[in-house]
Amino acid sequence: MQISNAYRPNSVFAPADAGEVPRVFIAPQRYIQGKDVLAHVGRYLSLVRVRRAAILISAGGESRHGRRLTDSLRAAAIDSVVCIFGGECSLEEIETHTRALKTQNIDCVLAVGGGKCVDAGKALAFRLDTPVVVVPTLASNDAPCSALSVLYSPAGISIGIEFYPRSPALVVVDTGIVAAAPERFLVSGMGDAMATWYEASACLRNSAAATTVGARPTLAAVAIGEVCAKTLFSEGIAAAAAVADNRVDASLEAVVEANTLLSGLGFESGGLAAAHGFAQSFTAIPQANANHLHGEMVAMGALAQLVIEQRLDEARRVAGFFVQVGLPVHLEQLSIESGDAAALATIVEAALAFPFIGNMPMKIDAAVLRDGLLRAHELGASVRERAGDAAYRRLHAD
């Protein structure tokens, strides 16, 4: 099984002979967020007219949330079959579930879990030609609202991106579940979301930049990215404290929306750049991949991007916020030695191969990427030295 070529958005929105590239905005049909909304998923599915749904969920997620979910579906006269997600959004995992469900008369896939489960659910729904309903149980990344999946090897190394012609039919976020999850996941989502504004603004400044579907960024998406960053700066610390106390409040609701909806809309219709290029390249370093979350890697990538753009004051501002909430600001906090020449070469090579690295509004080569990453490391270490790293140590205490 290979990454699907059945849908290539560039051929729809930006074929080579089509002339000027249009602006394209992409979004799910409905976004629903609030405390205890999981109990009402069956009612929300009336919008999709579902009779028999496949629920893709981890074993732990099924034990925690399965009963409420299936009860809600049953109350809405919706039959369901549960598929246990193995933990990696790999082609092997996707193919296993596709084969199992081919004869099950499924008319909807519910992807319930974290980012990799969500992405696997989107890939599964595409292969079954059914709508996908995304029910994230974490606010750790911006995967839920997008019409694409990041695919990994069984060992967890990023191998590419797969695109879909339809966005999720519904995205349902129960903030009570998010509040009960470890604080580190919400904080990781802030790292992923913070990059949205900086990557979209870089794409807007580069007249040749293209979004994930080959289109030009929209002003709406860039504005959403800016609101996303402002929300994190103003509410992020309070939201992290709310999750530490397992409670839902206005700050948590704001940051969950920023991490999930604002960041999801912003990156897909605003564009990616060096921040995610570095983040995906960090997965090639085994110790970083094994010990750190996607949003933590994006945080370090965002600092490197800002340094490459010579936006040093903004990089210090962002690093200061990251230190306060517990995100990495230097390479050692990603289990990478700054003096490891082989690791740096691997990271730079992978970042240079990132499909959207050319969205940066300046010439990018290996020397620029290496220098930017090392200078960001030094800047972050300086900020951490002044402010301390108590939040980071607390989140990584185990």
Side-chain angles (χ1 to χ4, degrees), residues 51-63:
R51 294 182 179 179
R52 182 170 170 79
I55 302 172
L56 183 67
I57 190 170
S58 69
E62 202 278 332
S63 67

Side-chain angles (χ1 to χ4, degrees), residues 11-300:
S11 66
V12 176
F13 300 112
D17 58 351
E20 186 172 345
V21 177
R23 303 182 186 199
V24 176
F25 191 83
I26 308 158
Q29 294 176 30
R30 297 289 187 276
Y31 178 87
I32 304 160
Q33 175 186 309
K35 190 172 184 294
D36 299 325
V37 294
L38 184 72
H40 309 298
V41 168
R43 188 171 76 244
Y44 304 144
L45 284 176
S46 65
L47 300 173
V48 191
R49 298 183 179 179
V50 177
R51 294 182 179 179
R52 182 170 170 79
I55 302 172
L56 183 67
I57 190 170
S58 69
E62 202 278 332
S63 67
R64 290 188 296 272
H65 314 302
R67 180 64 180 272
R68 272 197 297 166
L69 188 57
T70 54
D71 283 352
S72 179
L73 297 183
R74 192 176 299 112
I78 298 171
D79 194 13
S80 61
V81 55
V82 174
C83 304
I84 299 301
F85 176 62
E88 199 57 69
C89 185
S90 66
L91 293 169
E92 292 81 358
E93 174 91 13
I94 295 161
E95 177 63 16
T96 295
H97 293 299
T98 300
R99 286 196 304 266
L101 293 171
K102 278 285 189 184
T103 60
Q104 292 285 334
N105 296 317
I106 297 299
D107 55 10
C108 181
V109 172
L110 272 70
V112 185
K116 289 187 176 182
C117 181
V118 163
D119 275 357
K122 286 183 282 187
L124 178 59
F126 178 66
R127 287 160 174 79
L128 296 173
D129 194 25
T130 66
V132 62
V133 171
V134 173
V135 186
T137 56
L138 302 169
S140 61
N141 58 77
D142 54 17
C145 292
S146 70
L148 59 84
S149 295
V150 178
L151 301 180
Y152 296 82
S153 72
I157 298 172
S158 175
I159 62 170
I161 301 172
E162 190 171 86
F163 298 92
Y164 312 117
R166 291 184 291 185
S167 297
L170 304 173
V171 177
V172 182
V173 188
D174 191 322
T175 46
I177 293 173
V178 173
E183 180 187 351
R184 184 179 173 187
F185 290 110
L186 182 80
V187 170
S188 174
M190 294 187 211
D192 199 16
M194 184 65 80
T196 304
W197 161 231
Y198 300 111
E199 289 182 292
S201 62
C203 291
L204 192 66
R205 286 182 281 118
N206 178 3
S207 62
T211 67
T212 57
V213 300
R216 287 291 294 148
T218 63
L219 294 177
V222 177
I224 286 171
E226 184 175 16
V227 172
C228 181
K230 287 182 176 179
T231 301
L232 297 175
F233 280 125
S234 64
E235 304 292 342
I237 296 171
V243 170
D245 292 338
N246 302 127
R247 57 183 167 80
V248 177
D249 63 12
S251 292
L252 179 61
E253 291 283 3
V255 168
V256 169
E257 184 177 341
N259 285 8
T260 311
L261 179 64
L262 302 183
S263 183
L265 299 180
F267 98 78
E268 194 169 22
S269 298
L272 299 174
H276 271 80
F278 280 115
Q280 294 304 110
S281 72
F282 292 143
T283 67
I285 307 302
Q287 64 270 27
N289 189 49
N291 295 303
H292 301 281
L293 301 171
H294 172 71
E296 293 170 340
M297 299 184 196
V298 176
M300 191 67 224

Side-chain angles (χ1 to χ4, degrees), residues 187 191 282 292 295-304 307 314-336 338 372-392 396:
V187 170
F282 292 143
H292 301 281
E296 293 170 340
M297 299 184 196
V298 176
M300 191 67 224
L303 289 182
V307 169
E314 191 67 9
R316 292 186 188 95
R317 178 191 182 208
V318 171
F321 172 77
F322 285 172
V323 166
Q324 287 181 292
V325 295
L327 283 164
V329 293
H330 62 84
L331 289 171
E332 274 77 15
Q333 289 181 321
L334 284 179
S335 305
I336 300 170
S338 60
L373 182 59
L374 288 176
R375 288 196 296 131
H377 163 79
E378 293 168 0
L379 181 149
S382 174
V383 172
R384 182 201 60 81
E385 185 176 357
R386 292 195 303 273
D389 61 355
Y392 180 89
H396 294 78

Side-chain angles (χ1 to χ4, degrees), residues 337-352:
E337 294 294 329
S338 60
D340 187 338
L344 289 176
T346 297
I347 293 166
V348 168
E349 181 181 6
L352 198 58

